[in-house]
């Protein structure tokens, strides 16, 4: 039953643009989808390696800026009067570059930050995000700073000579986002279920033990950081070409908070968690908007967060899984598959 | 040279208040391992509370400060009891999310009650500044500096010279052993959170009149408090104090001599540098990583 | 339920439904979208603008509305963040089906909305944003009544000699508005023989500017030009006074809310000059004294803070501009309103509202050129300086 669940969900999701004609809700699906991709990447670090990266929005923003700059072109003077000029490239190359540059930053941050753990790691990542934000804000020659990169072209797929296909309509953008969600899901799922993934979980559970068994902890953490950053960069690129303007506001701490909420309430360490959490918290503002005033919308959002975490501390998806497990096999205290459970 | 002296004076005053913020959070973050994003909201609460009783109700300014500090402590105890105690034992990011939720509710609640327009608090101090040579500073800031130092000293005494403080330190070092030795862990947690919160409220009460009071004021306070805690090392009061001054120094000198746009980056760059070379912070005792 | 009761229930439901549909047909209004920050860092300003808009809407409706129908403001909060600003625009246009919008306060918020305007071909009146890019990006659905800093700086040229500035430092908020002001005013100063010294920025959320001010205290300039909003400006003035800075301070940008400055900065505000776009303290000096007095009277009647009038008037003028456009268009449809905007010509609270073409040919945006006033704060009062 569970295996087919993902296929059913996918088909249901793919059908949405066919019957949903309300552009406002479709827009909400697209932006929520983009943040879900970023949340899934955060889940890789938080849920599977146990490290809380509160600067994750930095990778999102780096991906956004890279993709925008690659497709708009730029002209900057570096140290020593050395001028770098870049002509605009096709948009899909921008998205790819966004992933690569973000992943590279993930490598650097990973290598540097994983010398520390826990609370210290949290602060280092926040610091990194703040520094990146300030660079984006002040290096006006490259990033336009607060003047914003505008008129970012929409995504086009194609190759020179064969022809281009412009993804301008919402429907096509929805499918693009859905495709990236699926690809990211598959990548993360493959990674998590492989030897590498099991090693990661092992070091989340008990690092000293993992080290003693010979697992090269830092390498695995860095690998997770690279994949996580790359996927976040993809999300950022999609965001840039959808919104068509990027300014340092893309590094708002609020966005990291949004991603963390999606992951933790959905269920960290589960593949479906960020999707479920994402849909819920992406849509609470959309629906509460019609009913209550501005401050109350936020207060409801905050209360929802607190309540879900109180009632279901492991997240929604594990709670559902547990409920199904209890129903299918009454009398058995544990489900048959070995599952790595979080320590109580 | 005169400019430099002025920067030093600015830094001392800024640093003392940063230290207050940092000490409050190092207790909470260090002992309870709670990533307390609501810390900035306690800071804002302290400021609004002073506004409420000193300006709207007309009480004596100094008395209002004291009452605000106590109120902050009580609010902290309440938050601990209602939100944190039931979730004791949950993961660090779960409690963090609860505190973020609390922050959202408190911040928007403040805006709902007071509106978004900034409020200012008039104090009994003269408006004309105190001028010594070419260095100029407002009387209020001088008062704030000494008040902050007094509070820091008081906190140090509580932690190091009282039974309560001893129990806190024991809990921080080894929770299970402390519990076995008869320390009431629940009480200690509540007292720690309350103490940390009252310090945040104190910082807000002192700084509200110096700056202006708005619902957003807590955000930057939280961020700086975390930076200071890491600089100084989790749980180290002396470390947080010095960390506060280091951050203030980096900001003043960085903004004054290097670039004002990157002023806030100075603090964070220092943190990154410190953590790379001394992962436990500048002053913490050797701590098991993780 | 018995069969009879079931039948009654269904009949009642159907009756209610049909009545509601019928009355919907009767009470038709012309909807105007309002996209402003009501929570987040810009909440105070957004709320002022919305309150000004409501005064205009009520005034219009009291006089019978426009094209025979009442107008209805559909107000949504963009939470001071660009993603939300775009989502709100989407909702206003597609769900509420508004033919015209006013918004979105901050420049990055407005820029995020602009692609939606192009997509759905709906015009928007920009009431506060000041980034040059807004009117030069080739978006024919943008009509701005607030001045970009280049316009402000241009007007400053005539005032400049009276202030006797030899060298000025700039202290600006680190966003497009502040940086734009530093650049545009810097150009005007240099073109008129005035030197420009330091150009320092303050982060949007910063509360302590003592480092930047200490630097300026020791510089050889005689004037500090400041561009930021009232909250941060209060702090700048207080900290400058605390540092004993004796230089002339001139502020720009139109978001100073001078009464709030007087109230909160106290003596530190005395002797400072401010470039504003509206002068509610001197209704006789405004282009339309009758309208100014009406607006201020209503503002006071509703119990709002007087200091906010210097921001809320934009909401008032924005809605009046929209109504004028709808009237000229003859119908409440986006395309008609967009082309009718070019024919709008009336006197707003701060100057003539008539749009000039700006931007690339064929896709120009509209920019109207308001007046600029220089006021001074002296002994806690706001005066028109005699220079």
């Amino acid at each position: 039953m569970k295996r087919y669940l993902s296929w059913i969900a996918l088909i249901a999701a793919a059908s949405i643009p066919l019957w949903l004609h309300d552009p406002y809700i479709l827009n909400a699906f697209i932006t929520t989808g983009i943040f879900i991709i970023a949340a899934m990447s955060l889940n890789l670090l938080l849920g599977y390696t146990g490290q809380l990266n509160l600067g994750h929005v930095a990778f999102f923003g780096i991906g956004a800026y890279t993709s925008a700059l690659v497709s708009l072109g730029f002209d900057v003077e570096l140290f020593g009067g050395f001028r770098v000029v870049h002509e605009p490239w096709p948009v899909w190359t921008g998205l790819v570059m966004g992933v690569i540059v973000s992943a590279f930053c993930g490598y650097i941050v990973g290598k540097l930050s994983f010398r520390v753990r826990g609370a210290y790691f949290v602060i280092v990542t926040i610091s990194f995000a703040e520094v990146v934000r300030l660079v984006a804000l002040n290096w006006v020659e490259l990033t336009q700073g607060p003047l914003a990169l505008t008129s970012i072209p929409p995504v086009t797929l194609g190759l020179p000579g064969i022809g281009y296909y412009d993804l301008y309509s919402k429907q096509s953008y929805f499918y693009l986002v859905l495709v990236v969600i699926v690809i990211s899901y598959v990548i993360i799922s493959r990674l998590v279920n492989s030897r590498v993934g099991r090693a990661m979980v092992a070091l989340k559970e008990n690092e000293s033990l993992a080290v003693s068994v010979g697992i090269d902890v830092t390498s695995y953490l860095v690998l997770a950081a690279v994949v996580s950053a790359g996927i976040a960069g993809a999300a950022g690129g999609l965001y840039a070409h959808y919104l068509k303007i990027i300014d340092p506001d893309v590094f708002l701490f609020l966005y990291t908070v949004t991603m963390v909420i999606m992951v933790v309430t959905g269920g960290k360490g589960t593949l479906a968690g960020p999707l479920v959490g994402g849909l819920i918290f992406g849509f609470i503002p959309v629906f509460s908007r019609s009913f209550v005033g501005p401050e109350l919308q936020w207060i409801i959002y905050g209360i929802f967060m607190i309540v879900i975490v109180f009632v279901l501390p492991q997240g929604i998806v594990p709670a559902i899984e547990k409920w199904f497990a209890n129903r299918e096999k009454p009398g058995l205290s544990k489900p048959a598959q070995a599952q790595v459970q979080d320590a109580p | 040279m005169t400019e430099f002296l002025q920067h030093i004076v600015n830094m001392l005053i800024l640093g003392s208040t940063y230290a207050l913020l940092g000490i409050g959070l190092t207790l909470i973050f260090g002992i309870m391992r709670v990533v307390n994003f609501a810390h900035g909201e306690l800071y804002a609460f302290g400021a609004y509370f002073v506004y409420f009783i000193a300006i709207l109700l007309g009480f004596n300014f100094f008395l209002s400060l004291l009452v605000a500090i106590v109120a902050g402590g009580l609010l902290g105890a309440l938050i601990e009891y209602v939100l944190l105690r039931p979730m004791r034992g949950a993961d660090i990011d779960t409690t963090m999310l609860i505190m973020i939720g609390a922050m959202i509710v408190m911040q928007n609640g403040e805006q709902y009650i007071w509106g978004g327009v900034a409020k200012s608090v008039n104090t009994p101090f003269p408006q004309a500044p105190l001028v010594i040579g070419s260095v100029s500073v407002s009387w209020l800031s001088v008062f704030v500096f000494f008040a902050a130092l007094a509070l820091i000293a008081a906190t140090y005494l509580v932690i190091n010279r009282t039974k309560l403080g001893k129990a806190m330190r024991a809990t921080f070092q080894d929770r299970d052993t402390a519990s076995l030795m008869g320390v009431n862990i629940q009480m200690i947690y509540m007292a720690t959170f309350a103490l940390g919160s009252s310090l945040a409220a104190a910082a807000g009460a002192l700084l509200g009149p110096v700056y202006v009071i708005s619902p957003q004021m807590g955000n930057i306070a939280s961020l700086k408090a975390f930076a200071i805690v890491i600089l100084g090392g989790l749980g180290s009061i002396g470390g947080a104090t010095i960390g506060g001054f280091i951050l203030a120094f980096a900001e003043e000198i960085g903004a004054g001599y290097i670039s004002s746009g990157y002023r806030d980056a100075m603090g964070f760059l220092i943190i990154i540098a410190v953590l790379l070379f001394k992962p436990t912070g500048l002053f913490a005792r050797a701590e098991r990583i993780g | 339920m018995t069969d009879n009761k079931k039948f009654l229930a269904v009949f009642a439901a159907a009756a209610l439904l049909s009545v509601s549909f019928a009355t919907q047909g009767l009470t038709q209004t012309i909807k105007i979208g309002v996209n402003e920050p009501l929570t987040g860092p810009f909440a105070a300003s957004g709320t002022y603008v919305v309150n000004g808009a409501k005064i205009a809407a009520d005034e219009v409706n009291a006089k019978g509305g426009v094209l025979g129908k009442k107008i209805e403001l559909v107000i949504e909060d963009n939470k001071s963040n660009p993603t939300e600003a775009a989502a709100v625009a989407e909702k206003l246009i597609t769900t509420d089906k508004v033919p015209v919008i006013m918004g979105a306060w901050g420049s990055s918020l407005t820029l995020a909305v602009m692609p939606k305007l192009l997509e759905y071909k709906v015009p928007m009146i920009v009431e506060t944003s000041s980034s040059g890019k807004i009117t030069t990006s080739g978006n024919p659905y943008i009509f701005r009544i607030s001045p970009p800093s280049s316009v402000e700086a241009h007007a400053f040229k005539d005032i400049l000699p009276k202030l006797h500035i030899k060298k000025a430092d700039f202290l600006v908020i680190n966003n497009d508005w502040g940086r734009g002001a530093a650049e545009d005013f810097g150009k005007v100063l240099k073109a008129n023989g005035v030197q420009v010294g330091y150009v320092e920025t303050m982060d949007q959320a910063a509360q302590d500017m003592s480092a930047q001010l200490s630097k300026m205290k020791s510089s050889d300039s005689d004037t500090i030009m400041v561009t930021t909003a009232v909250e941060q400006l209060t702090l700048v003035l207080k900290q400058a006074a605390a540092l004993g800075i004796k230089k002339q301070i001139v502020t720009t940008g139109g978001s100073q809310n001078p009464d709030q400055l007087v109230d909160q900065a106290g003596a530190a505000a005395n002797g400072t000059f401010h470039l504003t776009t509206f002068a509610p303290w001197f209704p006789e000096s405004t282009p339309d004294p009758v309208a100014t007095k009406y607006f201020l009277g209503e503002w006071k009647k509703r119990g709002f803070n007087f200091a906010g009038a210097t921001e809320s008037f934009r909401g008032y003028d924005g809605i009046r501009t929209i109504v004028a456009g709808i009237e000229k268009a003859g119908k409440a449809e986006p395309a008609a309103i967009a082309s009718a905007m070019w024919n709008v010509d009336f006197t707003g609270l701060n100057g003539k509202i008539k749009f000039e073409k700006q931007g690339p040919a064929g896709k120009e945006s509209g920019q109207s050129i308001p007046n600029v006033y220089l006021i001074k704060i002296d002994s806690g009062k706001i005066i028109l300086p005699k220079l």
Side-chain angles (χ1 to χ4, degrees), chain C residues 241-283:
Chain C
L243 286 170
I245 293 182
K246 302 264 180 282
K247 305 184 189 206
Q248 182 175 253
I249 296 183
V250 178
T251 76
T252 81
S255 287
Q256 305 95 329
N257 301 17
D259 299 277
Q260 191 172 330
L261 280 181
V262 168
D263 192 39
Q264 297 187 348
N270 287 337
T272 55
F273 291 94
H274 307 274
L275 276 176
T276 67
T277 47
F278 180 44
W281 319 274
F282 316 110

Side-chain angles (χ1 to χ4, degrees), chain A:
Chain A
M1 166 65 182
K2 223 180 132 195
R3 283 190 56 202
Y4 296 116
L5 206 57
S6 1
W7 284 107
I8 294 176
L10 183 58
I11 295 178
S15 73
I16 290 179
L18 302 173
W19 51 264
L20 179 68
H21 294 296
D22 181 347
Y24 172 54
I25 307 281
L26 204 52
N27 174 67
F29 266 113
I30 294 173
T31 49
T32 303
I34 290 175
F35 281 103
I36 286 179
I37 298 172
M40 288 199 294
S41 65
L42 179 67
N43 186 26
L44 184 60
L45 271 180
L46 177 59
Y48 292 96
T49 62
Q51 301 302 323
L52 176 58
N53 176 5
L54 279 188
H56 203 63
V57 77
F59 300 127
F60 182 77
I62 289 174
Y65 265 102
T66 307
S67 186
L69 284 171
V70 164
S71 45
L72 284 174
F74 57 88
D75 178 2
V76 278
E77 189 178 306
L78 295 177
F79 297 119
F82 182 59
R83 245 200 140 81
V84 177
V85 178
H86 169 85
E87 293 299 317
W89 280 1
V91 173
W92 67 268
T93 57
L95 287 174
V96 169
M97 285 305 294
V99 172
I100 294 177
V101 172
S102 276
F104 179 69
C105 290
Y107 177 74
I108 307 231
V109 172
K111 264 235 133 27
L112 294 178
S113 315
F114 281 121
R115 297 162 75 141
V116 297
R117 296 284 187 279
Y120 296 99
F121 180 76
V122 170
I123 301 298
V124 163
T125 51
I126 294 182
S127 312
F128 172 68
E130 260 300 290
V131 171
V132 171
R133 179 184 80 88
L134 288 167
V135 168
L137 184 65
N138 287 295
W139 194 0
V140 180
E141 212 196 347
L142 175 65
T143 66
Q144 293 284 297
L147 304 161
L149 290 172
T150 54
S151 309
I152 300 177
V155 177
T156 54
L157 296 174
L159 292 162
I162 298 182
Y164 290 97
Y165 178 63
D166 239 346
L167 285 170
Y168 201 68
S169 74
K170 274 206 189 48
Q171 280 78 5
S172 45
Y173 220 87
F174 179 90
Y175 285 118
L176 177 63
V177 172
L178 189 59
V179 162
V180 176
I181 291 182
V182 168
I183 295 178
S184 311
Y185 186 91
V186 166
I187 293 178
I188 295 179
S189 148
R190 283 279 149 83
L191 186 63
V192 157
N193 288 319
S194 68
R195 272 190 66 202
V196 175
R198 286 195 287 275
M200 285 181 194
V201 173
L203 64 88
K204 176 180 86 159
E205 293 300 319
N206 190 332
E207 190 170 322
S208 349
L209 186 58
V211 171
S212 69
V213 182
I215 294 180
D216 182 356
V217 167
T218 308
S219 300
Y220 283 116
L221 286 176
V222 172
L223 176 63
V226 168
V227 175
S228 167
I231 294 180
L238 287 173
Y239 179 78
H241 294 282
Y242 183 61
L243 209 65
K244 304 197 178 52
I245 131 187
I246 287 293
D247 69 350
D249 271 351
V250 76
F251 293 108
L252 280 173
F253 186 64
L254 173 68
Y255 291 145
T256 299
V257 168
T258 308
M259 295 172 209
V260 172
I261 292 175
M262 291 177 175
V263 171
V264 176
T265 53
K268 60 182 195 275
T270 66
L271 289 168
L275 291 160
V276 171
L279 284 171
I280 294 179
F281 282 92
F283 278 89
I284 290 180
V286 172
F287 291 123
S288 62
R289 176 170 275 145
S290 322
F291 296 111
V292 288
E295 290 93 355
L296 281 175
Q297 285 173 37
W298 277 112
I299 293 181
I300 289 179
Y301 190 83
I303 292 181
F304 245 94
M305 274 172 71
I306 297 179
V307 165
I308 291 191
V309 170
F310 251 71
V311 169
L312 302 169
Q314 294 302 314
I316 299 175
V317 170
I320 296 181
E321 281 178 353
K322 230 188 274 181
W323 188 69
F324 268 119
N326 286 340
R327 279 192 65 189
E328 276 170 26
K329 296 167 193 198
L332 280 175
S333 51
K334 273 197 186 136
Q337 317 142 278
Q339 262 190 330
V340 182
Q341 305 242 303
D342 291 303

Side-chain angles (χ1 to χ4, degrees), chain B residues 165-220:
Chain B
K166 207 170 188 179
M168 283 182 184
R169 281 180 291 134
T171 313
F172 173 42
Q173 279 186 349
D174 192 333
R175 188 181 91 168
D176 299 318
T177 308
S179 166
L180 284 172
M181 298 294 284
V183 173
N184 183 344
I185 302 294
Q186 303 283 61
M187 264 289 113
I188 293 300
Y189 276 7
M190 187 189 266
T192 308
F193 201 86
L195 181 58
S197 301
S198 68
L199 287 172
L206 286 172
L207 287 178
V210 172
Y211 300 132
V212 289
I213 304 175
S214 69
Q216 305 283 322
M217 66 192 290
N219 293 339
I220 208 167

Side-chain angles (χ1 to χ4, degrees), chain B residues 10 111 118 134 136 211 260, chain C residues 38 200-201 208 214 217 242 264:
Chain B
N10 297 342
Q111 189 178 304
S134 55
S136 178
Y211 300 132
S260 50
Chain C
L38 299 174
E200 299 294 327
T201 59
D208 189 284
S214 300
K217 179 180 169 188
Q264 297 187 348

Side-chain angles (χ1 to χ4, degrees), chain B residues 98-109:
Chain B
I98 295 179
M99 298 318 284
I100 292 180
M103 171 188 89
I104 292 178
V105 171
M106 282 176 79
Q107 204 173 100
N108 283 285

Side-chain angles (χ1 to χ4, degrees), chain A residues 148 170 239 247 255 289, chain C residues 83-84 90 108 120 133 179:
Chain A
K170 274 206 189 48
Y239 179 78
D247 69 350
Y255 291 145
R289 176 170 275 145
Chain C
T83 319
E84 281 299 307
E90 188 92 44
S108 81
Y120 295 109
K133 277 198 182 172
R179 283 181 180 263

